[in-house]
Amino acid sequence: NGIYIQALDLDKGHQVWAYESENNVQHSLRKPSINNKIIYTLGEKNGNDILIALDSITGGEIWSKRLKRYSKDNVVNPIITNKYIYVVQENVNDKTGTYLIGSNFRTGEFKKSIRLVDIMGDSAPINIVSIQSYRDLMYIYNLDKKIQITALR
C-alpha cells in the first residue's frame, strides 16, 4: 500500500525508473503534480501527511516533509503556482479552518500560510474537490452548498 511511481519510455517501450516509498509510508488518493522536473506527491506516515519531492529524471527522492494530517477524505493534489507548491491543511498553528500551506519548490521549507476564511469569508470551502492554478490565480472547486469555483490571486 505504499507509494509507487514509475517513469515509462513510450517510444522504446520500457521502464526508465521506479520509486517505491518506505514500508511505513502509505499511498493517498491524491495524484502527483509535476513542475520543473520535480514530481510532488502526498502520502501518509504514522498518522500524518507527508509531502515528497522526486527527481523526474532519476526517480530519486529530493526531500520529504511531514505535515499535519488534513483528513482521510482529502483528495486535493499538491498545487503548483509561480512561487510555491501548496498543500491543503486543516487547523494550522492551533487556528481552526482550512489552509493552503506554501513550500519552497527545491527544499520543501514552509514559506506561506493562507487561511481561506480570511480571504473568502463565509464562502470559504470545506469540501474541496480540486484546486488548480494558472499564472497567478488559484481556482478552488468545492461542493459545500453548491458547485462553486473560486479564483484567488
Side-chain angles (χ1 to χ4, degrees):
N1 282 11
I3 297 171
Y4 185 78
I5 298 174
Q6 57 184 330
L8 305 174
D9 184 326
L10 298 179
D11 289 334
K12 296 180 181 175
H14 68 87
Q15 177 178 293
V16 177
W17 57 258
Y19 168 84
E20 190 165 3
S21 63
E22 303 169 1
N23 290 336
N24 58 348
V25 176
Q26 301 298 310
H27 76 316
S28 71
L29 298 175
R30 294 154 294 189
K31 298 178 285 193
S33 298
I34 301 174
N35 187 39
N36 294 327
K37 300 181 184 175
I38 299 175
I39 300 170
Y40 302 94
T41 190
L42 286 162
E44 179 188 341
K45 182 177 181 178
N46 300 325
N48 289 297
D49 283 337
I50 184 168
L51 177 61
I52 302 169
L54 303 174
D55 183 305
S56 66
I57 305 300
T58 66
E61 187 173 307
I62 300 169
W63 53 259
S64 65
K65 295 290 179 184
R66 185 178 68 86
L67 309 167
K68 289 184 178 182
R69 185 76 171 143
Y70 173 65
S71 83
K72 291 185 178 184
D73 299 328
N74 178 14
V75 294
V76 177
N77 308 326
I79 308 122
I80 297 170
T81 66
N82 291 341
K83 294 183 180 178
Y84 304 109
I85 175 129
Y86 286 94
V87 294
V88 175
Q89 293 285 276
E90 192 72 23
N91 304 330
V92 176
N93 297 327
D94 298 324
K95 292 184 180 178
T96 59
T98 302
Y99 287 78
L100 293 172
I101 305 298
S103 297
N104 178 286
F105 288 114
R106 290 184 176 33
T107 66
E109 180 183 353
F110 300 114
K111 293 289 189 180
K112 188 169 188 172
S113 173
I114 301 169
R115 186 172 175 223
L116 293 181
V117 73
D118 293 341
I119 296 173
M120 301 171 64
D122 292 338
S123 67
I126 296 170
N127 188 13
I128 299 172
V129 176
S130 174
I131 301 178
Q132 299 292 321
S133 69
Y134 179 70
R135 298 191 184 190
D136 61 345
L137 290 176
M138 190 173 296
Y139 300 89
I140 300 173
Y141 173 58
N142 76 88
L143 299 173
D144 289 338
K145 300 172 188 156
K146 59 185 178 213
I147 296 176
Q148 174 182 338
I149 299 177
T150 304
L152 300 177
R153 184 174 299 263

